[in-house]
Amino acid sequence: MKLRLKIILISLLTSLILGSISITISFRIYNASNDKQAKVYTQQTVSGFVDSLKRDDQKNKDNNLRKYIEDYTDNIIKIYSEYDKLGYFKEYSQSSEDEYLSRVEKEVVEGDVNKFNEIYTMMDALVKAGSTESLYLAYFDMLNGRVIYLLDIDKSTANPIGFVDSINRFGLKKGEILPDGFKAVIENQLCWGGQPIYKYSDSSHRSCFIMADVPMTTFNQVEKEFLKYQTIVLASLSVSLAIFMYVMSDRFIAQNIKKVDYSTSKFTSSLINDTTPLLFYPDVKSKDEIGNLAKNSYNLQITLIDYIKKLKDKTLNEQRILADLELARKIQIENLPKGYYEENNFVINAFMEPAKEVGGDFYDYFKIDEDNLCVVIADVSGKGIPAALFMMNAKELIRGLLKSGKNLKDALFEANNQLLETNEEGLFITLFAGVINMNTLEMDYINAGHERPIIIKKDKIFELETKSNFVLAGLNNFNYQMERVNFDKDDTILFYTDGLSEAIDDNFNQFGKENIIKSLKEEVSLEHLKTNLKDFSKENQFDDETALLLKLKNVLSINIKNPKIENIDGVIEESRKYLSFLDSKTISQTCIILDELLSNSIKYGIKGVADSFINFVLSYDDKKINIDLIDNGIKFNPFGDIKKGESDEIGGRGLLVVDKLSSNRKYEYVNKKNHIHVEKIYE
Amino acid sequence: MDIKIDDLKEYTVKLSGRLDSTTSPKLDETLAGFDLKKNLVFDFKDLEYISSAGLRLLLAYKKKLSLNSLDVIVRNANDVVMEVFNITGFDKILKLE
């Protein structure tokens, strides 16, 4: 329901209630005064007659009206008494009443006619003059409980003279003492009252009264008129009040609220639709609560716009930070070496899963020189940008120091001191670093408070024994103890951070070293480990998870200086031994390939080249044999034009055989060296 | 590589081991003393494999003998050797028994 309609209804209801109340109250007041008026009137009528008698008393000392009434009364009572004694009034009968009444009329009125007429005229005048219905003289016989009508002037039907009636209608009872007078009372729309004309000295049980009956109808008529006018007046007052209330509340409430409503809804739609929301001022001048509401709603608009602006800025900022973090993550991951790297004698698989956008873990691997491979795995205390920056710094520092020719011990000593110089955050690193000589398969390593690597041999899996050193970036001039271990070909080493071992499942159980080892027993692969870890911890990644798996391949590596044809035999013999686990056909075919490649290189490639060499590497995995030849002979791609092999040209035929007996071939000329790579799939 | 030569109505050369860039020169040296008046039979029963150096030698003797209307005959070649012959087309120019 609209506010305006509500106000109208409330106004109407209020005026209706007010009107009803005021009408009721005023009617009550009026009614009371109406009764009083009737009583006074009755009293005055009676008094008027009595006063007339008094005046006449003074005028005529002896033969006055009062005296006449006395005689008149006595005459009637004499007859009444006579009949009473005869028991006429004990049992009512029409004939006896008629007899009695006719006798009274005859004897009484026949007396002093003048006096009778005078009284009659006096009373008649009083009746005719006003509202009095009837004025009558009555004799009260209390002993018998009767009233006898002496003279009755009535506008309608008068009682005959001498008419006997019961005193009950005056509220009196037989045998009671007569009152001094009847004060005016209202009964059944009739106001009546009376005063004694005289009293009998011998008895207080009988007396003569002048009585008046005044009907209330006269007054009630006036009352109705009054009520009509009063209702009209009050009703119109109520309607006026309703209109007034409506106009006022509409002006001071509804219209103002409408203004507030208008400005607010305009503002809201502007907020939704416009890129730049507009302010709408509700023009409310009143200084009441609605004025405050308007002011506050306007302030709310201002605050809201301000807030939205701040929120937008904040959101933009956060988006920018998120984008930056995403970029940082990319940079960090790109900064790490690839997750897969393979050379003839080793394969590396690695991953780093930061818990946040960027992490504090890192792995690193790089060749220090031809023979030495360095592997580093580390965990910076803390996460996020500071840890990531510190991590990148540490990684580059260690890399640089080792590549500059320092041994591992000196490199970490130096790195530790340098990191401490710029470490105001108090970050530190747990780290494991190892340098592996790929020829001797010896690893020099330092464990600076980090998880011990796990070594997987053909027949066993165990943790590498390490001495405990303090963390990196912990203490200045700390001397890290370097240790050495010998690996075998085909060994695999897992380097990892505590993010793996301390990964938890939904019930806060740790993944633990045991599960890492279990996974490695099932399958020596990082993919498998990762899958197991994900299955275990599901969505609960709280720490960076980093691991590096280094597989030392079982390779045959022979370096021949100033090679001659005679050297080929030795290489073939070594290769046969190396491949002895294979079937003889595969071995033979591989040897044919080796013979062709080596003889080709010796006879033509390096012919006449000073300090010539051939680096020969033979390796295998579960599917294929890999042959790698590097020589410093003239640039020549043996697989460039195989068609040549079909001719009789020297050398060509051999390469055709290589082409057919191998499954894949690759040629590269790098650093003035021919790199030949040939693969042969075996069954 | 072992080389055994049976000198009857034809020269039979029994080879064992491998015929490759290392051994071919030795065989070449051994065969140099022969007069090329008979067919040359290579018994490859015990030969493990042959590389292009061996093929070259076979081809060289085939050319020499063909001048005297004689031939090079290969006997008992194993799978590996046969495959090399197939690849190089020697199975078409050599008499294989």
Side-chain angles (χ1 to χ4, degrees):
Chain A
M1 211 194 288
K2 289 215 162 183
L3 185 63
R4 188 166 278 183
L5 194 59
K6 280 183 187 167
I7 290 174
I8 290 172
L9 282 178
I10 290 169
S11 305
L12 280 177
L13 200 67
T14 312
S15 62
L16 203 67
I17 292 167
L18 277 177
S20 312
I21 291 171
S22 59
I23 286 170
T24 310
I25 290 172
S26 65
F27 176 70
R28 283 273 172 89
I29 294 168
Y30 174 79
N31 217 9
S33 72
N34 205 28
D35 288 2
K36 200 177 166 190
Q37 204 182 340
K39 284 175 184 171
V40 169
Y41 187 83
T42 309
Q43 217 71 46
Q44 277 174 352
T45 309
V46 173
S47 302
F49 183 78
V50 174
D51 288 348
S52 300
L53 287 185
K54 277 181 187 164
R55 278 194 297 277
D56 186 66
D57 284 350
Q58 284 160 3
K59 218 193 289 175
N60 310 307
K61 280 264 160 100
D62 296 321
N63 194 19
N64 56 26
L65 286 172
R66 196 187 295 271
K67 184 84 182 101
Y68 172 74
I69 291 169
E70 241 183 279
D71 295 343
Y72 173 78
T73 305
D74 286 347
N75 288 338
I76 295 169
I77 295 308
K78 216 179 278 169
I79 299 163
Y80 159 73
S81 300
E82 261 177 51
Y83 280 84
D84 187 28
K85 274 173 195 160
L86 292 170
Y88 265 65
F89 304 111
K90 291 212 166 106
E91 253 175 76
Y92 175 76
S93 87
Q94 188 67 47
S95 58
S96 54
E97 188 179 41
D98 286 352
E99 188 192 332
Y100 159 71
L101 287 178
S102 62
R103 196 176 144 198
V104 170
E105 196 179 354
K106 201 189 281 169
E107 289 185 14
V108 174
V109 182
E110 278 173 1
D112 192 343
V113 178
N114 283 338
K115 287 281 183 211
F116 180 83
N117 282 341
E118 200 174 329
I119 290 165
Y120 186 94
T121 311
M122 214 166 80
M123 285 168 67
D124 193 43
L126 280 169
V127 171
K128 279 186 178 142
S131 310
T132 314
E133 172 73 20
S134 67
L135 191 64
Y136 54 99
L137 289 165
Y139 172 85
F140 287 85
D141 176 8
M142 298 305 286
L143 290 174
N144 289 309
R146 296 189 192 113
V147 62
I148 295 99
Y149 287 84
L150 304 171
L151 180 59
D152 184 6
I153 310 296
D154 204 305
K155 273 183 178 158
S156 48
T157 317
N159 287 314
I161 297 166
F163 183 76
V164 180
D165 204 349
S166 165
I167 54 167
N168 291 350
R169 68 159 287 214
F170 297 99
L172 298 171
K173 279 178 186 159
K174 189 178 168 183
E176 277 181 354
I177 294 168
L178 259 177
D180 288 342
F182 296 103
K183 275 188 181 168
V185 287
I186 296 165
E187 280 173 4
N188 303 325
Q189 291 297 309
L190 196 70
C191 187
W192 63 271
Q195 281 182 27
I197 309 246
Y198 56 82
K199 280 185 179 173
Y200 292 93
S201 50
D202 57 341
S203 172
S204 56
H205 287 96
R206 57 195 184 105
S207 182
C208 181
F209 274 72
I210 176 75
M211 305 289 291
D213 287 351
V214 179
M216 288 304 288
T217 42
T218 327
F219 300 96
N220 288 349
Q221 193 57 42
V222 178
E223 190 175 291
K224 268 180 198 159
E225 285 288 303
F226 171 80
L227 268 179
K228 198 168 99 189
Y229 287 119
Q230 188 199 34
T231 308
I232 290 167
V233 168
L234 283 176
S236 40
L237 268 175
S238 295
V239 170
S240 311
L241 182 69
I243 292 168
F244 179 74
M245 269 177 73
Y246 165 69
V247 169
M248 287 327 240
S249 36
D250 184 59
R251 184 173 166 193
F252 291 117
I253 299 171
Q255 280 185 17
N256 283 344
I257 284 182
K258 220 172 161 185
K259 280 181 189 168
V260 177
D261 177 51
Y262 177 79
S263 71
T264 311
S265 55
K266 274 290 223 185
F267 172 72
T268 310
S269 64
S270 144
L271 208 58
I272 294 163
N273 301 325
D274 301 348
T275 39
T276 316
L278 298 169
L279 289 169
F280 290 89
Y281 181 71
D283 188 19
V284 177
K285 294 205 170 63
S286 57
K287 286 184 174 146
D288 51 15
E289 284 84 346
I290 297 175
N292 282 341
L293 175 71
K295 216 190 288 168
N296 286 336
S297 83
Y298 186 66
N299 285 340
L300 191 67
Q301 290 181 20
I302 296 170
T303 316
L304 204 58
I305 285 185
D306 191 44
Y307 179 73
I308 287 168
K309 193 178 169 294
K310 278 183 188 156
L311 200 66
K312 266 187 188 165
D313 290 350
K314 203 179 161 203
T315 314
L316 273 178
N317 226 3
E318 274 169 6
Q319 279 172 348
R320 204 156 41 223
I321 288 170
L322 278 179
D324 283 353
L325 277 176
E326 190 52 40
L327 194 63
R329 180 195 176 90
K330 271 188 190 158
I331 290 171
Q332 190 185 31
I333 288 170
E334 277 167 15
N335 190 258
L336 295 175
K338 277 182 272 179
Y340 171 80
Y341 179 75
E342 183 168 13
E343 280 199 12
N344 289 326
N345 40 14
F346 68 90
V347 190
I348 284 173
N349 280 287
F351 69 81
M352 200 268 275
E353 290 284 345
K356 286 186 176 181
E357 281 77 5
V358 291
D361 273 12
F362 74 90
Y363 67 81
D364 196 15
Y365 61 84
F366 52 92
K367 293 289 281 285
I368 297 171
D369 51 40
E370 278 296 320
D371 296 333
N372 291 296
L373 170 75
C374 178
V375 173
V376 181
I377 190 139
D379 181 0
V380 176
S381 63
K383 291 182 196 68
I385 295 287
L389 289 174
F390 198 66
M391 159 237 147
M392 280 163 95
N393 188 16
K395 177 177 150 288
E396 292 310 318
L397 202 55
I398 294 166
R399 207 179 241 252
L401 287 164
L402 282 168
K403 282 200 166 177
S404 75
K406 283 195 160 42
N407 73 22
L408 184 61
K409 190 177 161 72
D410 295 344
L412 285 195
F413 181 85
E414 189 62 35
N416 178 49
N417 284 352
Q418 286 198 30
L419 285 170
L420 275 167
E421 273 173 27
T422 54
N423 182 15
E424 280 169 19
E425 300 288 323
L427 295 168
F428 62 85
I429 306 174
T430 72
L431 162 146
F432 184 96
V435 176
I436 304 149
N437 183 311
M438 283 300 165
N439 288 326
T440 63
L441 296 183
E442 282 172 340
M443 177 171 83
D444 288 337
Y445 63 90
I446 286 171
N447 185 2
H450 196 80
E451 264 60 38
R452 293 168 170 178
I454 294 170
I455 297 170
I456 305 109
K457 287 190 178 286
K458 267 178 191 159
D459 49 355
K460 55 182 173 178
I461 298 182
F462 58 93
E463 263 194 319
L464 178 67
E465 287 295 322
T466 66
K467 284 177 180 155
S468 50
N469 285 299
F470 199 55
V471 296
L472 207 66
L475 275 175
N476 214 23
N477 292 328
F478 187 84
N479 273 309
Y480 294 93
Q481 291 192 64
M482 191 164 80
E483 297 165 84
R484 178 170 287 187
V485 64
N486 267 305
F487 291 125
D488 296 315
K489 283 178 176 176
D490 268 341
D491 281 359
T492 305
I493 306 108
L494 175 75
F495 306 88
Y496 65 97
T497 60
D498 60 4
L500 260 76
S501 51
E502 289 168 13
I504 53 163
D505 66 5
D506 291 337
N507 301 319
F508 297 98
N509 299 313
Q510 287 199 353
F511 189 63
K513 210 163 30 187
E514 300 72 30
N515 275 317
I516 297 175
I517 290 172
K518 192 175 156 230
S519 170
L520 290 171
K521 275 181 180 164
E522 287 161 7
E523 189 184 325
V524 186
S525 111
L526 219 50
E527 276 310 309
H528 186 63
L529 179 61
K530 231 170 148 177
T531 309
N532 284 339
L533 188 66
K534 278 266 142 29
D535 288 350
F536 180 82
S537 62
K538 296 187 179 76
E539 304 297 315
N540 313 313
Q541 197 196 338
F542 294 111
D543 202 357
D544 305 338
E545 292 167 356
T546 307
L548 185 149
L549 195 73
L550 168 67
K551 185 172 169 55
L552 301 173
K553 287 201 282 193
N554 180 4
V555 297
L556 175 68
S557 174
I558 300 169
N559 298 332
I560 314 163
K561 291 198 171 127
N562 296 313
K564 297 182 182 66
I565 289 292
E566 291 74 50
N567 297 122
I568 295 177
D569 207 36
V571 175
I572 298 276
E573 284 309 317
E574 287 293 319
S575 300
R576 291 172 75 88
K577 272 187 234 161
Y578 176 74
L579 298 173
S580 59
F581 68 98
L582 291 166
D583 64 291
S584 62
K585 188 180 174 184
T586 308
I587 296 172
S588 298
Q589 288 181 341
T590 309
C591 288
I592 295 170
I593 295 168
L594 294 182
D595 186 58
E596 304 296 356
L597 291 175
L598 287 166
S599 61
N600 194 59
S601 170
I602 291 166
K603 281 184 186 163
Y604 313 111
I606 58 173
K607 204 175 178 184
V609 174
D611 296 326
S612 63
F613 66 82
I614 297 176
N615 288 338
F616 166 77
V617 177
L618 188 61
S619 63
Y620 58 83
D621 50 42
D622 14 317
K623 284 179 226 126
K624 60 185 198 316
I625 300 160
N626 301 303
I627 302 157
D628 284 277
L629 270 185
I630 300 171
D631 70 40
N632 58 346
I634 52 160
K635 183 182 175 184
F636 173 68
N637 179 3
F639 315 121
D641 192 2
I642 297 298
K643 272 186 209 162
K644 262 197 323 191
E646 285 170 6
S647 73
D648 267 359
E649 261 178 64
I650 292 165
R653 194 176 291 117
L655 296 175
L656 176 69
V657 174
V658 172
D659 184 63
K660 298 292 179 193
L661 293 183
S662 65
S663 40
N664 195 21
R665 296 148 300 279
K666 222 161 70 186
Y667 170 80
E668 273 181 320
Y669 189 71
V670 184
N671 294 333
K672 297 187 174 173
K673 288 176 198 116
N674 295 298
H675 289 246
I676 295 167
H677 176 80
V678 175
E679 292 169 4
K680 179 167 177 59
I681 292 171
Y682 64 84
E683 277 153 26
Chain B
M1 183 184 76
D2 285 336
I3 308 169
K4 279 183 184 168
I5 299 165
D6 184 5
D7 180 12
L8 295 168
K9 58 177 178 181
E10 53 197 10
Y11 299 116
T12 303
V13 183
K14 280 195 170 185
L15 295 178
S16 64
R18 32 186 217 268
L19 184 56
D20 58 10
S21 54
T22 315
T23 55
S24 294
K26 286 180 192 165
L27 180 61
D28 197 18
E29 233 169 75
T30 311
L31 292 178
F34 288 80
D35 55 8
L36 306 177
K37 294 275 172 66
K38 297 177 187 173
N39 281 346
L40 196 54
V41 178
F42 290 93
D43 188 342
F44 282 177
K45 190 168 173 281
D46 297 318
L47 187 74
E48 192 190 323
Y49 66 78
I50 188 169
S51 80
S52 63
L55 294 177
R56 196 154 54 243
L57 184 138
L58 291 181
L59 188 62
Y61 278 90
K62 180 168 170 76
K63 280 179 179 170
K64 282 178 191 170
L65 287 170
S66 67
L67 294 175
N68 301 332
S69 301
L70 294 169
D71 213 345
V72 170
I73 301 159
V74 174
R75 284 189 185 134
N76 304 321
N78 69 9
D79 288 352
V80 178
V81 176
M82 281 307 289
E83 192 179 357
V84 174
F85 286 165
N86 285 332
I87 291 166
T88 52
F90 271 55
D91 55 343
K92 292 182 187 80
I93 58 168
L94 288 176
K95 215 171 168 189
L96 303 174
E97 289 182 354

